[in-house]
Amino acid sequence: MKVPSVIQIQFVALRRLLAETKEQFCFAIRNKLRSIFGWIMSLSLFSWLYKNIQKILIKVLSVGPVPEHVSFIMDGNRRYAKSRKLPVKKGHEAGGLTLLTLLYICKRLGVRCVSAYAFSIENFNRPKEEVDTLMNLFTVKLDEFAKRANDYKDPLYGSKIRIVGDQSLLSPGMRERIAKVEEITKHGDDFTLYICFPYTSRNDILHTIQSSVQDCSQNKSQSKIDIKKFTSKMYMDFYSNKCELLIRTSGHRRLSDYMLWQVHENATIEFSDTLWPNFSFLAMYLMILKWSFFCTIQRYNERNYTLFERVYEGVPSILKRKKTSMSLYQFPDPPISVSITGED
């Protein structure tokens, strides 16, 4: 028996209504749980406990090896805003706050450099309103970082910021502001932040090729281009070949034309299903802990211990034979004379 089309339409409408009701219910529950968690964390006791646990974990991890250069592909800001029925701007603002929080943690861990994929050249194809929003937000964050880097009370004091990418695509006003911020923070030696804006890895390699060829044509004595010279001319200078850990959020398993040269050799690439604004201290901590663990094993194996040395290393220190100290009078007598010309 064929069901009348009117009833089919009603069934479809009812199914959609139930799906929307379920989505709204789940959204309300998530918001409620989030507000309860936020209220708990706002209590002084829990806030104090969380901060101290974080300090202990950071000190434990800083004992072992930590990556010198950590890079982030900050993906998921738009989906974060959409899932909370917020404007896209709020999603990007939340992403900026996450980056600032993780910068503090990385600096305390002893990481020397952090790079972040803030804006791809391909992003210029997005709606003009969103591009303008990103540009304005980027300007605000630039000024904020410069203030923090020069405030001795701030954890980011002594940091340096570099904006890398094809700046010819930016407005003259934006380029002037970037140059000003880089000049203000250029003496920061403790920590370096590279903001890739606007950037693609192919553009980075193309820029390096053009720069290398130009130098060779101007300097006739330098006709050979080797890997070391080529790498040094890339946007990130010293850190162009030293990315140990690359983290991408939001569930996508691809690099999106980012740091193809920098991660080709010894980098560890970690993917997280978490949206970038939700990417927490614990998630990054576990990734760096995993990197540190395997790095320790690799360095241990590279030392090529003999079987005796491995067994000896496993013996408790209390059972090891103590080395006897040597008295000054036990050393042999010095020679009567020494020739510095090599003659007898």
Side-chain angles (χ1 to χ4, degrees):
M1 181 179 178
K2 187 177 181 181
V3 180
S5 60
V6 177
I7 298 178
Q8 289 181 352
I9 294 173
Q10 290 178 349
F11 271 118
V12 172
L14 180 62
R15 250 195 327 260
R16 288 180 179 176
L17 179 63
L18 290 174
E20 290 177 0
T21 304
K22 180 181 177 182
E23 183 181 352
Q24 291 175 359
F25 178 75
C26 293
F27 179 73
I29 293 295
R30 284 199 302 268
N31 275 347
K32 193 67 177 177
L33 292 174
R34 197 176 293 112
S35 62
I36 292 173
F37 179 76
W39 176 77
I40 292 175
M41 293 304 298
S42 65
L43 298 176
S44 58
L45 175 62
F46 284 95
S47 179
W48 175 85
L49 185 63
Y50 176 77
K51 288 180 180 178
N52 280 275
I53 291 175
Q54 191 181 91
K55 287 180 181 178
I56 293 171
L57 291 174
I58 288 175
K59 286 183 178 179
V60 169
L61 187 55
S62 60
V63 172
V66 294
E68 187 176 5
H69 180 186
V70 177
S71 190
F72 298 111
I73 300 179
M74 306 181 294
D75 194 18
N77 292 339
R78 292 194 295 176
R79 274 175 283 168
Y80 173 85
K82 185 178 179 181
S83 66
R84 285 160 174 73
K85 303 185 185 303
L86 298 172
V88 176
K89 179 182 178 181
K90 296 296 182 181
H92 291 302
E93 288 177 351
L97 183 60
T98 299
L99 176 62
L100 184 63
T101 303
L102 297 183
L103 288 179
Y104 285 144
I105 295 167
C106 287
K107 190 170 185 289
R108 288 166 61 188
L109 278 172
V111 176
R112 298 286 299 170
C113 171
V114 169
S115 57
Y117 202 9
F119 193 85
S120 169
I121 293 177
E122 305 297 330
N123 289 152
F124 281 110
N125 296 324
R126 291 184 179 182
K128 185 177 183 301
E129 182 181 356
E130 184 178 354
V131 173
D132 292 341
T133 299
L134 286 169
M135 292 294 175
N136 294 332
L137 180 62
F138 178 70
T139 302
V140 172
K141 294 300 178 183
L142 267 183
D143 295 337
E144 181 181 351
F145 185 90
K147 290 179 181 178
R148 292 180 182 275
N150 286 280
D151 183 2
Y152 71 94
K153 295 181 180 180
D154 195 275
L156 286 178
Y157 177 71
S159 302
K160 176 170 61 179
I161 188 170
R162 288 279 314 279
I163 313 302
V164 295
D166 192 350
Q167 295 189 14
S168 65
L169 300 174
L170 302 176
S171 65
M174 179 68 76
R175 293 199 295 269
E176 183 179 348
R177 180 159 293 192
I178 288 173
K180 181 179 178 181
V181 171
E182 289 182 341
E183 178 66 24
I184 292 174
T185 62
K186 70 178 182 179
H187 297 296
D189 297 327
D190 297 340
F191 182 77
T192 303
L193 171 64
Y194 285 98
I195 297 295
C196 301
F197 186 99
Y199 177 92
T200 61
S201 191
R202 287 175 296 172
N203 178 267
D204 192 0
I205 295 172
L206 175 63
H207 152 266
T208 308
I209 292 173
Q210 292 173 340
S211 178
S212 300
V213 171
Q214 184 178 1
D215 283 356
C216 286
S217 62
Q218 292 177 353
N219 187 1
K220 300 299 182 181
S221 61
Q222 184 184 351
S223 58
K224 184 179 179 181
I225 302 175
D226 55 22
I227 295 295
K228 185 176 180 181
K229 291 178 182 177
F230 185 87
T231 305
S232 66
K233 291 185 178 298
M234 301 190 83
Y235 284 134
M236 294 185 190
D237 302 329
F238 178 73
Y239 293 100
S240 290
N241 207 29
K242 293 178 177 290
C243 181
E244 286 92 353
L245 180 61
L246 172 63
I247 300 172
R248 174 163 190 161
T249 57
S250 84
H252 290 307
R253 266 64 175 171
R254 60 175 185 266
L255 295 181
S256 297
D257 201 0
Y258 179 65
M259 298 193 68
L260 304 180
W261 182 277
Q262 289 81 359
V263 301
H264 76 280
E265 191 172 355
N266 293 319
T268 299
I269 303 175
E270 296 282 354
F271 297 103
S272 171
D273 294 331
T274 308
L275 300 178
W276 173 249
N278 290 328
F279 192 69
S280 62
F281 158 75
L282 184 60
M284 188 188 72
Y285 181 87
L286 292 175
M287 289 181 180
I288 297 181
L289 180 64
K290 177 182 173 183
W291 181 93
S292 180
F293 174 74
F294 286 107
C295 181
T296 303
I297 294 177
Q298 182 181 3
R299 292 180 183 180
Y300 179 83
N301 291 333
E302 287 175 353
R303 292 180 63 177
N304 294 322
Y305 279 114
T306 64
L307 180 60
F308 173 77
E309 288 174 331
R310 294 188 182 191
V311 173
Y312 187 75
E313 282 290 328
V315 175
S317 59
I318 193 172
L319 301 178
K320 294 179 181 178
R321 182 180 177 183
K322 294 183 178 180
K323 295 180 180 179
T324 57
S325 57
M326 190 172 182
S327 172
L328 180 64
Y329 299 102
Q330 293 178 291
F331 285 97
D333 296 329
I336 298 175
S337 62
V338 176
S339 173
I340 62 174
T341 61
E343 300 177 356
D344 294 336

